[in-house]
Amino acid sequence: MSSDAEASIPAPRIQLTPQEWRTRLSPEEYQVLREAGTERAFTGEYTDTETEGVYACRACGSELFRSGEKFHSHCGWPSFFDPAESDAVILKTDDSLGMRRVEVLCANCHSHLGHVFEGEGYPTPTDKRYCINSISLRLQPAEGSTN
């Protein structure tokens, strides 16, 4: 999965100073969203959620994923096979930790969401697994939806 457009990543529409982000976010949210941290596997509030609705960026509120694209990958984090809109996220090469991965960022504020993997054999339409930190998301349940 190459990120040819990576060299031309547009500036985020929402630009705040680190202090402004710290005011908006809890320390745990800041560590994941702004410092590319990762929550521990199987601890996030949305790992097994099946509630219908929209998953928005916890930092800026932009729609990122819909419940219809969520699937059970049993990896410890919420998994989606496609973003709500193709331009909702930005993919960026991540060579940290001595391996090549593809980082997923919110297109609106460039907050870290997680990573995307492909070719793992999940029975989804895209064969991609957007492995997203629960703490990066806020579920907006569909009207009348219950868990």
Side-chain angles (χ1 to χ4, degrees):
M1 180 179 320
S2 85
S3 187
D4 296 332
E6 186 174 320
S8 62
I9 292 176
R13 290 184 281 280
I14 294 179
Q15 296 186 37
L16 301 176
T17 67
Q19 188 53 45
E20 289 170 323
W21 282 118
R22 286 183 192 282
T23 301
R24 280 187 164 198
L25 304 169
S26 73
E28 294 82 11
E29 291 167 345
Y30 185 89
Q31 197 268 331
V32 172
L33 288 157
R34 303 310 304 168
E35 296 180 332
T38 302
E39 66 190 354
R40 287 190 349 260
F42 301 102
T43 63
E45 65 182 305
Y46 301 129
T47 302
D48 296 317
T49 301
E50 295 185 4
T51 304
E52 283 186 48
V54 169
Y55 290 88
C57 176
R58 193 170 295 225
C60 73
S62 291
E63 180 178 332
L64 299 171
F65 300 96
R66 295 184 184 134
S67 57
E69 285 79 43
K70 189 172 188 288
F71 70 100
H72 291 288
S73 67
H74 309 288
C75 70
W77 293 274
S79 296
F80 303 86
F81 60 79
D82 206 18
E85 294 184 28
S86 60
D87 60 354
V89 300
I90 294 170
L91 303 181
K92 180 180 168 194
T93 301
D94 176 3
D95 290 324
S96 66
L97 304 178
M99 66 181 104
R100 174 152 288 193
R101 298 180 294 171
V102 178
E103 182 180 14
V104 181
L105 302 172
C106 171
N108 196 46
C109 69
H110 289 201
S111 287
H112 172 78
L113 304 172
H115 290 87
V116 62
F117 304 94
E118 66 180 325
E120 297 177 312
Y122 288 104
T124 62
T126 64
D127 197 26
K128 293 180 182 175
R129 176 173 58 96
Y130 287 80
C131 183
I132 307 298
N133 292 285
S134 284
I135 202 166
S136 297
L137 303 171
R138 182 165 281 119
L139 175 60
Q140 301 163 346
E143 197 165 311
S145 179
T146 59
N147 198 7

